[in-house]
Amino acid sequence: MKEGREEKFSSDVISDLYANLLKEIWESVSALIGEAILTLLFNLAIRKIGERYSFLNSLRVSEEGLALEEVKKGFRDLPPAEIHRGFQSLINELSHLFSALTEGVITKELLPKVLPKVREAERMVSKK
Amino acid sequence: MEFITFKDLNKLRSIINAISTSVEVKGIIDLVGTTLPSLFDFSVFGVLWKEGPMLSLFQEESCPPAFTQEVVKNMLKVFSILGGEPIEVERVNLQVEKGKLRNKQKVMDPQASLKSHLTLPLVIEGEVIGCISINSDQANMYNVPRLQFFSVLGYQMAASLKHIQRFSTVKKEAIYDTLTNLFNRRHFEERLSAESQKAFESESNLSMIMVDIDHFKKVNDTFGHDGGDKVLREIASLLKNSVRQYDTVARYGGEEFVLLLPGAPLDPTSMVAERIRRLVENTPFDMGQTQIRITISLGISNFPIHRMKSKEELVKMADLALYEAKKGGRNRVCIFKG
């Protein structure tokens, strides 16, 4: 019972951490390339990574921003490591798309913001 | 970090303004290609337009062919990553324009390779209609402010290109009959006004052939409207391929067509009409399980032989001749008899 509660707590914390991180990516990159292009890139990344981590398919992206509520409902029962791997793959795919378009310009801007939070998530998962 | 100056912003504004008032795709590409060097240092600027597909490059005079190829490949690769259908290099209609983007001391190394680029999709309502790319043989050439500038340009280009695309579709729909792809009646009236004025003023020949499909109602009743439409499309194609490029072939209404032959005297027009009649008569029309034969009736009028004084009379006389052809038993050509 206690273990279950801890896992739940950990999943929520990881999901909140990634939700904030994705919002931060959205804010930073939309200021560089605009919402329409960024929406396209997010949707491409979700389509690709969603094949493996299906909970990501309920992440809704439009030019108004990201809607993460549905995703959160979808991974309530998933282990934190799975959530972490799904989001991490999504962020990697986004980075790959950013690099294909602008080489290092976007990535350089994002790295200082993204990397510490991904490491934090890794630490949380490995502690379990 | 490089800062954006007021001068840069003003340049950007004037480029955007010019793009938004352009009415042709090529105009936009040329405009951006020629004005971009005032904002960016680059070796090649490219616009990939998925219709065609067409790739326009605006590049430094001394740009080596291998560098151009690298840019082309990279743009096609990025376009396919962006969800566009993969495009093979051989399929691309490549247009290269060279300009002096650098002074003599800074000509490109013949061995130069692609070191930095910004390639952004042209997105409208979620659809990628192409992409734009700026490329350099120098490493780390672009930064955040340049990326922001480039994306602003991209958004304006995408909006203008889409607008032009829509405008050309509307323009096409205003001229062509959507079923047969022949000119529609409205456009025919315009052509008739122009050609009759020319003929009346210069006393030159102008012939008209009115065409009507015999017993078309029977085709519709037997094979339904899809079958009828198929016959209309095939006859339209036979008519179009039976005349000169500068003749006008239009759908006049229902199963009626009209041909306008500037400079054509009466006898050759009569020969053309007879050739068309025989062609249709001898063409089997495939209607799924069965093949059918169709015939047409044709009526001819000519200026100056029939001495009409207006374009309306030219039409009326061809129409009366067509009526004679129908009355005489169909599947025949009649010349107007005053």
Side-chain angles (χ1 to χ4, degrees):
Chain A
M1 185 71 192
K2 198 185 165 203
E3 251 177 38
R5 206 181 299 147
E6 268 178 12
E7 183 145 305
K8 184 96 182 154
F9 170 73
S10 175
S11 294
D12 283 347
V13 172
I14 286 179
S15 77
D16 286 345
L17 192 139
Y18 275 110
N20 290 333
L21 183 55
L22 286 176
K23 279 183 179 161
E24 207 167 331
I25 291 174
W26 178 271
E27 295 297 325
S28 308
V29 183
S30 63
L32 305 183
I33 57 173
E35 286 86 0
I37 297 177
L38 188 56
T39 303
L40 173 88
L41 300 182
F42 257 94
N43 283 326
L44 284 172
I46 291 167
R47 201 183 308 156
K48 186 169 177 189
I49 306 304
E51 283 175 15
R52 190 150 168 221
Y53 300 97
S54 57
F55 71 89
L56 288 170
N57 289 323
S58 43
L59 173 56
R60 295 280 166 259
V61 188
S62 71
E63 289 184 32
E64 279 75 47
L66 306 167
L68 288 141
E69 295 71 27
E70 286 301 310
V71 192
K72 283 185 182 175
K73 274 184 217 163
F75 59 53
R76 287 258 151 87
D77 303 322
L78 290 176
E82 182 75 356
I83 300 166
H84 164 66
R85 277 195 294 270
F87 277 119
Q88 197 182 29
S89 302
L90 181 68
I91 289 168
N92 285 342
E93 181 60 20
L94 280 169
S95 301
H96 162 71
L97 291 171
F98 295 153
S99 295
L101 265 58
T102 68
E103 297 197 301
V105 180
I106 297 176
T107 326
K108 253 187 252 166
E109 188 77 359
L110 275 182
L111 228 51
K113 296 170 187 170
V114 174
L115 219 54
K117 288 188 179 168
V118 175
R119 292 220 173 107
E120 195 183 330
E122 269 165 8
R123 263 198 310 274
M124 289 164 75
V125 171
S126 62
K127 263 185 202 167
K128 273 209 54 60
Chain B
M1 163 75 80
E2 182 198 9
F3 291 100
I4 299 288
T5 63
F6 280 122
K7 212 171 152 188
D8 287 339
L9 276 175
N10 283 334
K11 281 177 196 160
L12 181 66
R13 273 192 208 107
S14 62
I15 296 175
I16 286 172
N17 190 35
I19 293 171
S20 64
T21 52
S22 294
V23 290
E24 281 177 27
V25 175
K26 195 179 178 309
I28 290 183
I29 293 166
D30 288 351
L31 177 101
V32 177
T34 48
T35 50
L36 217 54
S38 65
L39 273 177
F40 292 88
D41 199 323
F42 66 94
S43 312
V44 178
F45 165 70
V47 181
L48 175 66
W49 175 243
K50 85 170 177 185
E51 263 191 24
M54 185 178 86
L55 175 53
S56 293
L57 298 180
F58 192 90
Q59 66 183 39
E60 155 61 28
E61 223 170 37
S62 57
C63 182
F67 189 90
T68 309
Q69 284 310 310
E70 227 182 323
V71 170
V72 171
K73 275 187 194 162
N74 186 53
M75 284 190 74
L76 296 180
K77 188 184 98 187
V78 174
F79 182 73
S80 80
I81 289 174
L82 292 167
E85 266 180 44
I87 301 173
E88 287 155 25
V89 182
E90 299 75 35
R91 269 186 58 218
V92 177
N93 173 11
L94 184 65
Q95 291 169 3
V96 181
E97 206 156 307
K98 294 190 175 198
K100 209 150 187 51
L101 306 176
R102 296 176 176 191
N103 58 37
K104 267 191 179 167
Q105 285 75 39
K106 287 174 82 180
V107 291
M108 281 177 79
D109 181 346
Q111 307 298 319
S113 63
L114 183 59
K115 295 275 173 53
S116 36
H117 74 95
L118 297 176
T119 305
L120 295 178
L122 296 168
V123 189
I124 285 285
E125 291 156 13
E127 185 199 354
V128 182
I129 58 170
C131 58
I132 54 169
S133 181
I134 195 156
N135 304 269
S136 176
D137 56 337
Q138 311 291 312
N140 303 317
M141 198 49 143
Y142 307 114
N143 56 14
V144 164
R146 294 296 140 190
L147 173 61
Q148 288 171 315
F149 263 41
F150 198 54
S151 75
V152 171
L153 273 179
Y155 276 89
Q156 188 55 56
M157 281 186 76
S160 296
L161 288 169
K162 189 72 191 175
H163 179 70
I164 289 169
Q165 191 188 35
R166 279 191 186 136
F167 180 68
S168 89
T169 308
V170 170
K171 209 167 127 188
K172 199 177 164 213
E173 282 169 3
I175 291 177
Y176 292 99
D177 171 58
T178 47
L179 176 69
T180 59
N181 229 12
L182 294 178
F183 288 127
N184 61 21
R185 184 164 175 172
R186 204 178 81 174
H187 185 69
F188 166 76
E189 300 288 353
E190 281 175 21
R191 296 297 319 139
L192 177 64
S193 291
E195 293 298 347
S196 58
Q197 194 184 346
K198 224 190 289 174
F200 294 163
E201 278 172 12
S202 62
E203 288 282 313
S204 54
N205 273 285
L206 178 63
S207 290
M208 180 180 288
I209 307 174
M210 278 280 188
V211 182
D212 191 86
I213 303 174
D214 298 331
H215 304 296
F216 184 68
K217 192 179 173 296
K218 224 187 258 176
V219 177
N220 265 339
D221 291 346
T222 315
F223 301 101
H225 285 288
D226 287 347
D229 288 351
K230 189 172 186 289
V231 167
L232 286 170
R233 275 195 298 267
E234 285 182 28
I235 288 186
S237 163
L238 292 176
L239 294 176
K240 183 88 185 139
N241 293 324
S242 300
V243 292
R244 302 162 301 180
Q245 221 173 3
Y246 54 88
D247 292 329
T248 300
V249 184
R251 186 171 176 207
Y252 200 64
E255 66 267 32
E256 215 173 349
F257 301 91
V258 63
L259 290 81
L260 193 62
L261 293 79
L266 185 56
D267 283 350
T269 303
S270 171
M271 281 157 65
V272 168
E274 182 55 28
R275 197 177 65 221
I276 293 172
R277 186 198 65 73
R278 268 189 276 120
L279 178 66
V280 174
E281 186 183 33
N282 295 324
T283 301
F285 290 81
D286 205 342
M287 307 300 281
Q289 303 283 329
T290 178
Q291 280 190 338
I292 58 164
R293 298 281 172 172
I294 302 273
T295 60
I296 53 173
S297 300
L298 305 94
I300 301 173
S301 65
N302 168 272
F303 176 84
I305 299 283
H306 296 127
R307 297 177 188 180
M308 64 279 291
K309 290 193 171 58
S310 67
K311 60 181 192 316
E312 288 80 10
E313 274 188 280
L314 186 74
V315 177
K316 198 176 169 192
M317 288 170 179
D319 208 25
L320 284 170
L322 173 63
Y323 177 72
E324 283 303 314
K326 290 274 183 194
K327 211 169 71 173
R330 298 182 172 91
N331 190 23
R332 67 192 60 211
V333 177
C334 278
I335 298 168
F336 173 73
K337 288 187 188 84

